[in-house]
Amino acid sequence: MQSTEEKRKSNFRKRIFKITAAILIAVILILSAGITFRIPKSMPKWSDIFSFCGVSADLSEDLTASFIDVGTADACCIRCNGKTLLIDCGEASSYQKLYAYCRHYGFDHFDAAIISHFDSDHYGAAANVMRDFGIDTIYTQPLSDDLKPDDELFENFKNLLDVYGCKTVTPSAGDTVNLGDLKITFISPIKEYDNLNDNSLVVKAEYKNTSFLFTGDISSEAENDILSDEKSIDCDVLKVAHHGSKTSSSEEFLKAVSPQISVISVGTSEKNLPDYDTVARVNHYSAELYTTASDSNIVISSDGNNLSVQTFA
């Protein structure tokens, strides 16, 4: 049984611990706010703070694909043995989420970016990314004059390409690009469609014995054309098309893809997305299904043979 003096000392130690913890948390919050809003530039990185506090994030696998919670929009950051790739970047209004994640996990520059198509929820934050991180090469969908967006966002994007020194490439179906050990194959568009969604760049990314399929916002029409063209679309991870819309992810397409893991990028405020029947089909053909609405940020890691999944806010 403790004496009064022992209890007093014990309580004193507890108070000191709580005060120290509170001060540390306050310091972290202040530094975090400074980093998130980029003031001043000399502030340490997110990874530095977390390492200092012994809570370092582990993105140490050979390849990590981070599906960022940017609402009903798409943004995926891929790191593969030192090379970095961004597939879509969400709306400008949700850019702080992408920015904070990239700074947190040490994405300082992008070797390449793929903009699946020119809808604002897929490229709205491109100018921000070019400004804050830099992108060496940007791959964009083919655009006929009829499909070119006639708005300030698109004009600003085009003008800033030269300002920030970004090379642009419009790939054709069947083209391949190697980004270090990551092989990228452009699957579609196979033909010219009358809308931006079906003209989305559909991309297969392969690292050793694991593969990812990114489908932009294609509908079942483009899916059927891919199937008819007998493209190799079997993969381990599927980024479900068009935020789980009812117009996409046909049974035939999902059967051909046969993913182990599927990801739907969608906002929590959406009432009609993802579509109930679409989710049922994806669940039938996929062993695991994650959504950014319920799982927030989703990180899928590969060592070249095996996959693992982390989800966190």
Side-chain angles (χ1 to χ4, degrees), residues 91-237:
E91 297 270 11
S93 59
S94 60
Y95 174 63
Q96 277 300 327
K97 292 182 178 180
L98 177 62
Y99 177 87
Y101 186 92
C102 289
R103 289 304 188 204
H104 184 164
Y105 290 110
F107 285 89
D108 298 322
H109 178 80
F110 288 101
D111 297 291
I114 296 171
I115 293 175
S116 65
H117 64 294
F118 289 106
D119 276 343
S120 64
D121 58 326
H122 290 257
Y123 90 107
N128 305 69
V129 177
M130 286 189 279
R131 177 196 66 206
D132 294 335
F133 297 92
I135 306 170
D136 292 342
T137 304
I138 301 179
Y139 297 88
T140 63
Q141 68 178 150
L143 283 176
S144 64
D145 290 337
D146 293 339
L147 287 180
K148 286 182 180 178
D150 184 19
D151 56 29
E152 185 179 350
L153 179 64
F154 186 68
E155 287 302 312
N156 188 49
F157 169 77
K158 290 193 302 180
N159 293 335
L160 290 177
L161 291 171
D162 288 336
V163 172
Y164 294 115
C166 301
K167 176 185 176 182
T168 58
V169 176
T170 303
S172 300
D175 287 354
T176 61
V177 174
N178 290 316
L179 189 63
D181 297 323
L182 186 68
K183 179 184 177 182
I184 301 166
T185 303
F186 294 93
I187 303 293
S188 188
I190 294 167
K191 65 181 186 182
E192 185 177 320
Y193 298 90
D194 62 1
N195 62 85
L196 288 172
N197 285 351
D198 282 330
N199 275 300
S200 293
L201 292 177
V202 176
V203 177
K204 187 173 185 179
E206 300 172 89
Y207 175 64
K208 296 182 180 179
N209 296 318
T210 56
S211 56
F212 297 69
L213 187 68
F214 296 85
T215 53
D217 276 356
I218 62 171
S219 71
S220 56
E221 179 183 353
E223 291 174 352
N224 290 336
D225 290 334
I226 292 172
L227 293 173
S228 298
D229 199 49
E230 298 183 347
K231 297 288 186 183
S232 174
I233 56 174
D234 177 79
C235 71
D236 300 300
V237 179

Side-chain angles (χ1 to χ4, degrees), residues 20-30:
T20 303
I23 293 172
L24 180 59
I25 291 170
V27 170
I28 292 173
L29 289 174
I30 292 169

